């Protein structure tokens, strides 16, 4: 096997043809061959273990802006003691341990997630809210759900046939292992933590409607689809018609999915109860759910607002009528990948992500959304392209014998509701309702500007938005707290994420400058420095040179020594071990969600279990108060999305904090914020006000032209290059690319536009005023020919967005 390196991984991927790397319009290509998906896996470089002293320096730098001088002096002493005592020895042991592992952090990451004992809903599982289907005929529940199912199955087929083009960044292939763990996978609770089970040959899906479970096969042994979209639509309509026979007030009594929201040990005991009785259907029913490709949830609600939609996708709704739960929270199974479709066709995804992270599920969501559009295009023009390198034979034209042993007729799962199960279900529902009521969600869909405007001003869009979170928080509370953002490290074999720590001395200086009486130029200058620092840290973390994962691995290794497990074989107590090969069928990739780093960091059980003996004293760096301060994440943030998504989010990772999922699009920013009733709406409003204020400051300090804009049309460049004739000079004054200094009157007009209209105006207020004056004074001129009209009239300066 060739050496692992970025260059070798890139070479392995580029050995495939363009048709396989970007298979648009190649779905009829007879030369298409499988293998591209995992072509670079054996050549991806392993996740590097950072230098210990460098990590400790970054750790102190991350804590510096969060601590008082005395607290920081304590941390410096603790770090010095660590480097003089246990640190170097743990570093060497970590290097030895990593030689036999896919990566040095993977097993510790699995253990942290799978030993998490609290409910996974609102604590671990994130959600995506898809944009509405652009084809009006699909914007009702059954047709939208059928379309999503067919597209999802095409994605499953591409993964299993290894025809899915690999993810890349600037031509560099990324780790693709997680895609093999996305379907047919379930989180299964046991008395000693959870396990991940997978049926790699799963052929069926499970449908949830009014808390009742149904299943039917959708692909054959060759991974080809056995049903047309029309067939799936018919099945789903039959399921809905059957489910509505159960009155909504009776549905919760048999909604076994609620049990997946319980404390994991409680849920484990209930599964044992369900499997205990011989001859019971319950064991078979559980197996059908656990091995399904995914779960499709058909809800009976029609959420209208963005906040209500996000709540429904993350945890379902809790609605009590006559003392009975009739909300959609009973229509979920949180131990699996779920596609959720509301009655009005709004759709989203909720996923269990021990083995997959947000970037992987985002690719799934994006490709599914894109495929629905392309299939609609092919219904108009059969020559329209496909997203897939090859497609399933048309099920309606296949020989019935070719399908093999499949069952496409919907089956309803029937549970044996023993008294203990009914009682447990009742109390699980009330606890879930409590949990939902303890959290609140608000959204911001900021439409005034987005990535294009930020980049045209010379800012990294992500850094720009991160500073908004800090400035808004500082404006409310007068202080900054620990903040977390993930950086993807999938350029490495079984890469996960690294934690970016956005609070820096530069960001502190910016927010203090922003909220004080300072001139606009000073505010913008400090913002620029803070964003540049954030970008530099992000690049380091993407190269796996952050601090969090390294220190966490050292702490876990120390805990293994304390527990007497110093074998270094990577074995896990929960049965989910780090594999040596990326294709090991008995293991999985443990990419956590981008927003979940604090779940690992917040888990203090590793430190608290240390025995009293002096030789097992907790290393000074982990015993210091700084470790707890950094890992008590108040602003847990994650940037994950693209135009196929309307929102993305997750629950808060601490009782005092906010969970903030955001998507930066070309002309807008979407934010979903959650908290345990910490004035979330007020915080969202503060972020919006900051965005508007920052645009006002940039307008005051920037002198911008038109065609120099990054997104400007090329026709303006051609217009500027064309020689001007003397004849045309008298036909109006062209507004210069570098306008004269904005007057106080014009500046006040611009400010009023932002304050009163929410940034509505497309034209700069001063330029618009001049344009109106020119129209009143000059009137319309007669048409004098196409060749001469180009320079007639006054050219308005286009504002950037």
């Amino acid at each position: 096997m060739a050496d692992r390196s970025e260059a070798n991984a890139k070479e392995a991927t580029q050995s495939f043809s363009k048709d396989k790397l970007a298979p648009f319009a190649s779905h009829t290509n007879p030369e298409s061959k499988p293998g591209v998906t995992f072509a670079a896996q054996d050549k991806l470089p392993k996740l590097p273990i950072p230098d210990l002293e460098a990590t400790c320096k970054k750790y102190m730098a991350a804590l510096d802006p969060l601590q008082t001088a005395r607290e920081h002096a304590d941390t410096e002493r603790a770090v010095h003691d660590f480097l003089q005592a246990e640190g170097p020895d743990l570093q060497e042991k970590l290097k030895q341990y990593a030689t036999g592992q896919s990566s040095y952090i993977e097993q510790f990451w699995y253990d942290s997630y799978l030993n998490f004992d609290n409910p996974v809903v609102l604590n671990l599982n994130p959600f995506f809210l898809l944009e509405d289907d652009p084809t009006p005929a699909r914007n009702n529940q059954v047709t939208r759900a059928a379309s999503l199912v067919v597209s999802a199955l095409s994605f499953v087929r591409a993964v299993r046939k290894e025809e899915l083009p690999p993810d890349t960044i600037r031509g560099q292939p990324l780790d693709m292992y997680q895609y093999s763990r996305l379907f047919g996978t379930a989180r299964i609770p046991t008395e000693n933590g959870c396990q991940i089970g997978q049926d790699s040959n799963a052929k069926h899906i499970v449908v949830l409607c009014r808390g009742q479970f149904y299943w039917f096969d959708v692909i054959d042994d060759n991974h080809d689809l056995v049903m047309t979209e029309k067939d799936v639509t018919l099945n789903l309509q039959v399921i809905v018609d059957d489910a509505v026979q159960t009155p909504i007030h009776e549905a919760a009594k048999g909604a076994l999915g609620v049990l997946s929201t319980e404390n994991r040990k409680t849920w484990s005991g209930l599964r044992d109860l369900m499997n205990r009785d011989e001859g019971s259907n319950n064991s078979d029913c559980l197996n059908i759910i656990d091995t399904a490709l995914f779960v499709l949830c058909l809800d009976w609600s029609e959420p209208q607002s963005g906040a209500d939609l996000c709540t429904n996708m993350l945890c379902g709704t809790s609605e009590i009528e006559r003392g009975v739960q009739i909300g959609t929270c009973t229509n979920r199974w949180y131990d699996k990948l779920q596609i959720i479709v509301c009655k009005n066709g709004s759709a989203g995804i909720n996923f269990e992500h021990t083995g997959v992270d947000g970037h992987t599920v985002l690719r799934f969501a994006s490709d599914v959304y894109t495929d629905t559009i392309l299939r609609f295009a092919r219904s108009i023009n059969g020559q329209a392209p496909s997203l897939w390198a090859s497609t399933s034979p048309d099920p309606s034209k296949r020989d019935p014998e070719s399908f093999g042993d499949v069952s496409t007729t919907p089956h309803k799962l029937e549970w044996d509701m023993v008294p203990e199960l009914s009682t447990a279900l009742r109390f699980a529902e009330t606890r879930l309702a409590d949990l939902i009521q303890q959290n609140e969600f608000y959204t911001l869909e900021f439409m005034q500007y987005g990535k294009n405007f930020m980049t045209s001003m010379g800012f990294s869009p992500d850094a720009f938005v991160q500073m908004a979170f800090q400035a808004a928080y500082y404006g409310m509370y007068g202080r900054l707290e620990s903040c977390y953002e993930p950086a993807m490290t999938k350029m490495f074999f079984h890469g996960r994420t690294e934690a970016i720590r956005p609070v820096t001395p530069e960001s502190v200086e910016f927010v203090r400058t922003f909220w004080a009486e300072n001139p606009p130029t000073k505010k913008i200058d400090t913002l620029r420095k803070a964003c540049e620092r954030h970008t530099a840290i992000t690049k380091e973390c993407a190269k796996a040179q952050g601090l969090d994962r390294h220190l966490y691995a050292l702490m876990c290794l120390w805990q293994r020594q304390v527990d007497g497990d110093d074998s270094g074989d990577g074995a896990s107590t929960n049965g989910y071990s780090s594999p040596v090969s990326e294709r090991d069928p008995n293991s999985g990739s443990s990419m956590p969600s981008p927003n979940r780093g604090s779940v690992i960091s917040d888990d203090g059980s590793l430190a608290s279990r240390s025995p009293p003996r002096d030789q097992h004293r907790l290393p000074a760096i982990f015993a210091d108060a700084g470790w707890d301060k950094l890992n008590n994440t108040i602003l847990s943030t994650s940037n994950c999305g693209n135009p196929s998504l309307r929102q993305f989010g997750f629950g808060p990772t601490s009782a005092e904090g906010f969970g903030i999922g955001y998507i930066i699009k070309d002309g807008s920013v979407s934010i979903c914020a959650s908290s345990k009733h910490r004035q979330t709406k007020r915080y969202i409003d503060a972020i919006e006000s900051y965005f508007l204020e920052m645009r006002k400051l940039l307008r005051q300090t920037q002198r911008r032209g038109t065609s120099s804009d990054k997104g400007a049309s090329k026709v303006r460049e051609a217009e500027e290059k064309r020689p001007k004739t003397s004849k045309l000079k008298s036909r109006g004054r062209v507004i210069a690319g570098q306008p004269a200094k904005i007057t106080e009157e014009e500046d006040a007009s611009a400010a009023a536009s932002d304050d009163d209209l929410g940034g509505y105006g497309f034209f700069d207020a001063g330029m618009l005023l001049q344009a109106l004056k020119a129209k009143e004074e000059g009137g319309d001129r007669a048409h004098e020919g196409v060749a001469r009209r180009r320079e007639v009239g006054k050219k308005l300066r286009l504002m950037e967005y």
Side-chain angles (χ1 to χ4, degrees):
M1 185 177 71
D3 292 338
R4 292 186 178 276
S5 70
E6 291 183 12
N8 286 339
K10 191 172 184 178
E11 182 182 348
T13 303
Q14 291 178 340
S15 65
F16 284 79
S17 69
K18 289 183 179 179
D19 283 347
K20 298 183 187 69
L21 291 172
F24 266 125
S26 68
H27 58 291
T28 57
N29 179 9
E31 301 301 317
S32 177
K33 295 179 181 179
V36 67
T37 306
F38 304 107
Q41 287 298 105
D42 288 336
K43 298 175 182 63
L44 287 170
K46 288 186 70 171
L47 195 74
I49 299 176
D51 176 74
L52 181 60
E53 289 194 12
T55 293
C56 289
K57 286 180 181 178
K58 291 171 184 174
Y59 173 69
M60 288 189 290
L63 276 171
D64 189 18
L66 302 174
Q67 294 178 313
T68 65
R70 178 174 294 180
E71 289 172 339
H72 195 63
D74 290 341
T75 295
E76 287 180 329
R77 282 192 295 270
V79 170
H80 179 268
D81 290 347
F82 179 67
L83 288 173
Q84 296 299 313
E86 307 95 339
D89 182 56
L90 287 174
Q91 176 80 347
E92 286 306 310
K93 288 185 176 180
L94 183 62
K95 291 178 180 179
Q96 294 171 16
Y97 164 83
T99 57
Q101 307 299 318
S102 298
S103 86
Y104 75 87
I105 187 67
E106 185 168 39
Q107 189 59 59
F108 303 134
W109 204 261
Y110 283 142
D111 291 347
S112 179
Y113 275 96
L114 295 175
N115 291 329
F116 185 79
D117 195 40
N118 289 328
V120 294
V121 60
L122 283 164
N123 289 312
L124 292 182
N125 288 29
F127 79 90
F128 290 143
L129 174 63
L130 296 173
E131 286 284 5
D132 290 339
D133 195 304
T135 54
R138 289 198 187 120
N139 278 326
N140 68 74
Q141 184 177 54
V142 171
T143 54
R144 180 81 192 276
S147 174
L148 290 172
V149 166
V150 169
S151 293
L153 295 177
S154 296
F155 190 93
V156 172
R157 181 182 184 276
V159 171
R160 289 187 170 180
K161 288 183 174 291
E162 300 187 14
E163 294 178 347
L164 187 72
D167 298 324
T168 59
I169 293 181
R170 293 180 292 277
Q172 186 67 43
L174 304 181
D175 185 273
M176 294 292 287
Y177 177 71
Q178 294 173 60
Y179 292 97
S180 68
R181 307 297 289 181
L182 188 55
F183 305 105
T185 305
R187 180 187 182 116
I188 300 172
T190 73
E191 185 63 26
N192 298 311
C194 292
Q195 296 179 353
I196 295 297
Q198 183 179 28
D199 182 353
S200 57
N201 297 310
K203 299 189 294 184
H204 67 281
I205 64 171
V206 163
V207 181
L208 258 170
C209 189
R210 291 208 175 190
Q212 299 164 80
F213 293 80
Y214 305 81
W215 72 272
F216 55 91
D217 286 333
V218 286
I219 57 178
D220 61 18
D221 292 333
N222 197 39
H223 317 304
D224 289 325
L225 279 68
V226 297
M227 304 180 75
T228 64
E229 186 174 341
K230 185 177 180 181
D231 294 332
V232 176
T233 302
L234 178 62
N235 269 15
L236 298 182
Q237 189 61 59
V238 168
I239 287 172
V240 171
D241 292 343
D242 180 81
V244 297
Q245 301 303 313
T246 302
I248 192 65
H249 291 87
E250 300 292 322
K253 294 180 180 179
L256 270 293
V258 172
L259 298 180
S260 70
T261 70
E262 269 285 21
N263 171 286
R264 303 309 291 179
K265 286 187 178 178
T266 302
W267 180 206
S268 172
L270 291 170
R271 283 184 65 112
D272 289 343
L273 172 68
M274 297 167 75
N275 286 318
R276 186 177 61 197
D277 296 332
E278 292 185 13
S280 169
N281 291 328
N282 293 340
S283 182
D284 290 338
C285 290
L286 283 174
N287 186 60
I288 287 287
I289 297 171
D290 290 339
T291 60
L293 287 164
F294 53 83
V295 174
L296 173 67
C297 304
L298 301 178
D299 287 350
W300 51 92
S301 65
E302 297 184 86
Q304 298 300 317
S305 71
D308 289 343
L309 279 164
C310 290
T311 302
N312 191 62
M313 300 307 168
L314 182 61
C315 57
T317 60
S318 176
E319 185 179 350
I320 309 301
E321 192 172 281
R322 300 201 303 270
V324 177
Q325 179 64 258
I326 62 169
T328 60
C329 63
T330 61
N331 202 49
R332 300 286 184 271
W333 190 272
Y334 287 101
D335 290 340
K336 291 186 68 68
L337 173 68
Q338 302 176 92
I339 298 175
I340 303 165
V341 185
C342 301
K343 192 174 181 180
N344 58 3
S346 297
I349 295 171
N350 184 293
F351 59 99
E352 199 292 314
H353 65 82
T354 301
V356 295
D357 70 353
H359 182 267
T360 299
V361 184
L362 175 62
R363 167 76 182 275
F364 168 64
S366 302
D367 282 6
V368 164
Y369 189 82
T370 303
D371 185 60
T372 61
I373 298 171
L374 292 176
R375 282 190 293 108
F376 177 69
R378 288 199 299 280
S379 71
I380 300 170
N381 182 343
Q383 300 304 310
S386 169
L387 191 60
W388 318 112
S390 68
T391 55
S392 296
D394 186 345
S396 64
K397 298 177 181 178
R398 287 177 59 178
D399 179 354
E401 296 296 322
S402 68
F403 292 115
D405 183 18
V406 295
S407 180
T408 58
T409 303
H411 292 67
K412 183 176 183 178
L413 298 183
E414 296 181 336
W415 304 93
D416 294 328
M417 296 297 294
V418 296
E420 300 98 317
L421 204 53
S422 297
T423 302
L425 185 56
R426 175 185 174 184
F427 294 137
E429 182 273 310
T430 56
R431 280 191 284 270
L432 173 60
D434 271 350
L435 189 60
I436 293 172
Q437 296 299 327
Q438 291 164 14
N439 294 268
E440 64 177 2
F441 310 89
Y442 285 94
T443 60
L444 171 63
E445 297 193 35
F446 184 77
M447 307 302 293
Q448 278 68 29
Y449 61 85
K451 180 174 68 175
N452 288 345
F453 173 76
M454 298 171 197
T455 54
S456 71
M457 293 292 100
F459 293 100
S460 155
D462 183 69
F464 188 94
V465 173
Q466 281 289 331
M467 295 309 119
F469 298 150
Q470 293 187 44
Y473 190 91
Y474 188 89
M476 286 178 64
Y477 299 106
R479 66 180 185 273
L480 288 177
E481 304 276 12
S482 179
C483 183
Y484 170 93
E485 182 191 6
M488 183 179 64
T489 57
K490 288 175 72 175
M491 286 193 299
F492 301 98
F493 184 57
H494 285 210
R496 297 171 176 74
T497 59
E498 181 54 81
I500 303 167
R501 294 297 176 177
V503 179
T504 61
E506 291 84 356
S507 73
V508 173
E509 177 66 18
F510 160 64
V511 297
R512 288 175 177 167
T513 303
F514 176 80
W515 286 106
E517 294 295 328
N518 290 300
T521 52
K522 186 174 182 181
K523 294 181 179 182
I524 297 302
D525 287 345
T526 54
L527 172 63
R528 198 169 299 281
K529 290 177 182 176
C531 288
E532 288 170 354
R533 179 62 182 145
H534 183 87
T535 301
I537 293 174
T538 300
K539 289 179 179 178
E540 286 183 351
C541 291
K543 296 176 181 177
Q545 295 300 312
L547 64 99
D548 284 70
R549 304 301 179 249
H550 186 197
L551 289 178
Y552 182 69
L554 293 173
M555 188 179 77
C556 290
L557 202 61
W558 173 84
Q559 183 62 49
R560 282 196 172 196
Q561 292 182 191
V562 171
D563 293 340
D565 177 17
D566 200 17
S567 60
D569 61 0
S572 170
T573 56
N574 54 39
Y576 200 35
S577 300
S578 171
V580 174
S581 166
E582 80 283 357
R583 307 303 301 281
D584 186 339
N586 296 317
S587 58
S589 173
S590 65
M591 284 292 257
S593 163
N595 51 287
R596 295 271 70 93
S598 55
V599 170
I600 292 173
S601 301
D602 291 345
D603 182 7
S605 60
L606 291 174
S608 63
R609 292 199 308 263
S610 58
R613 291 177 296 173
D614 185 62
Q615 64 267 35
H616 289 157
R617 178 178 58 86
L618 187 64
I621 192 172
F622 305 125
D624 176 61
W627 179 251
D628 290 335
K629 178 181 281 287
L630 187 66
N631 290 307
N632 181 29
T633 304
I634 303 302
L635 295 181
S636 183
T637 71
S638 180
N639 176 3
C640 188
N642 59 34
S644 70
L645 301 187
R646 182 174 168 187
Q647 290 285 359
F648 151 67
F650 45 90
T653 60
S654 82
E656 306 86 37
F658 294 94
I660 307 168
Y662 60 105
I663 304 170
I664 307 173
K665 300 180 182 179
D666 286 348
S668 64
V669 181
S670 299
I671 299 172
C672 176
S674 64
S675 79
K676 294 189 180 297
H677 296 279
R678 261 204 79 178
Q679 301 190 81
T680 314
K681 176 65 165 62
R682 188 176 184 180
Y683 182 57
I684 282 287
D685 290 344
I687 294 172
E688 182 178 28
S689 297
Y690 168 88
F691 281 145
L692 294 173
E693 176 67 15
M694 191 50 62
R695 182 177 64 174
K696 185 193 306 182
L697 294 176
L698 287 167
R699 281 177 170 174
Q700 292 171 0
T701 57
Q702 294 291 325
R703 294 181 176 183
R704 294 166 292 163
T706 52
S707 64
S708 60
D709 298 349
K710 186 175 180 180
S713 169
K714 293 296 182 183
V715 71
R716 292 201 183 94
E717 290 185 23
E719 190 176 5
E720 290 181 356
K721 291 176 181 177
R722 188 169 54 246
K724 306 295 187 293
T725 63
S726 57
K727 258 187 187 179
L728 296 178
K729 285 182 180 176
S730 62
R731 302 199 179 277
R733 178 173 65 85
V734 175
I735 303 302
Q738 296 292 336
K741 188 175 181 180
I742 298 175
T743 66
E744 289 184 10
E745 180 182 352
E746 290 170 339
D747 183 44
S749 298
S753 173
D754 271 347
D755 293 342
D756 298 338
L757 300 176
Y760 165 75
F762 182 73
F763 296 103
D764 173 85
M767 295 297 102
L768 183 57
L769 182 62
Q770 291 181 32
L772 293 173
K773 274 188 180 180
K775 184 175 181 181
E776 290 172 4
E777 294 171 359
D780 293 329
R781 296 185 61 89
H783 175 69
E784 295 184 18
V786 174
R788 299 172 64 185
R789 75 176 169 79
R790 292 191 185 101
E791 302 298 329
V792 175
K794 180 179 178 183
K795 187 183 295 183
L796 300 182
R797 180 166 64 90
L798 297 177
M799 295 303 298
E800 294 181 47
Y801 280 83

